[in-house]
Amino acid sequence: QVQLVESGGGEVQAGGSLRLSCVASRIIVSSFDMDWHRQAPGKQRELVATVTTGSSTNYADFVKGRFTISRDNAKNTIYLQMNSLKPEDTAVYYCNSRPAYFSWGQGTQVTVSS
């Protein structure tokens, strides 16, 4: 069974940085377009960033210039570097393929205080 395990979340003050990791088992992440999503309390899950099999990246407008998605093929891991964090970035962050072929992991909580 494919597993996606997110980590790296935590509590930071506004303006701080975090680096999230998504480790995949039983798939090769470079074979898929991979997304980071987030879900804030009481809100629907939303797309944050995508890295394609060709290593192109795309970002939601609300994170452009602040977040960077990347992939380490040797580690079979997807990263999300988050800088200049804002309280509105508070959410649980998840990774998955595009389309979301695999079961969602537990995510990693990011809390940004003002």
Side-chain angles (χ1 to χ4, degrees):
Q1 184 177 351
V2 173
Q3 278 193 315
L4 299 168
V5 180
E6 301 91 350
S7 64
E11 294 188 31
V12 295
Q13 290 191 329
S17 299
L18 286 171
R19 187 195 195 201
L20 307 184
S21 300
C22 168
V23 179
S25 61
R26 296 185 174 83
I27 63 166
I28 300 174
V29 294
S30 59
S31 298
F32 299 87
D33 293 351
M34 296 294 294
D35 292 334
W36 279 100
H37 298 254
R38 70 185 187 187
Q39 187 167 19
K43 295 187 176 181
Q44 289 191 328
R45 186 159 47 212
E46 58 185 358
L47 177 65
V48 174
T50 302
V51 58
T52 70
T53 55
S55 298
S56 296
T57 57
N58 293 289
Y59 299 93
D61 286 344
F62 51 80
V63 302
K64 276 183 182 176
R66 300 189 297 123
F67 291 11
T68 303
I69 189 171
S70 62
R71 182 180 63 226
D72 186 327
N73 293 339
K75 295 182 178 180
N76 207 36
T77 300
I78 304 294
Y79 298 101
L80 186 68
Q81 177 67 45
M82 306 188 297
N83 299 328
S84 302
L85 282 160
K86 304 176 180 180
E88 51 263 44
D89 295 319
T90 295
V92 179
Y93 285 72
Y94 304 87
C95 65
N96 212 319
S97 60
R98 169 188 283 259
Y101 290 120
F102 310 113
S103 297
W104 295 92
Q106 295 200 340
T108 186
Q109 175 71 48
V110 172
T111 303
V112 185
S113 59
S114 57

